[in-house]
Amino acid sequence: MAVVSREELAAYCRLDEDTLIDAAVKLSEQMEKRLERKGAIDTPATHGDFCLTVMAMTLHELDHPGEKIPQGIQDMINELKFVKHGRPNAV
């Protein structure tokens, strides 16, 4: 699917080696699938937030492989799920 471009991901994760960027791209595709399994779907209305969440999840997994998703990223996922189901954004 690749909602995030290679260049965007490399800049967000501050990667400059091709092998690391390639690994990050593959990981971001896995993060997209994980988001969709959690019920967060990329729509035109949420595209920017979806991309940011994918990049944040990817960076976290690169820096802390196998660790639990931090609360801030979990909140981003929850926000995407609420928007998908048509609920107003809670502040």
Side-chain angles (χ1 to χ4, degrees), residues 8-23:
E8 291 171 323
L9 191 59
Y12 185 86
C13 296
R14 298 182 182 204
L15 302 172
D16 57 6
E17 294 179 27
D18 283 337
T19 55
L20 290 175
I21 296 169
D22 291 341

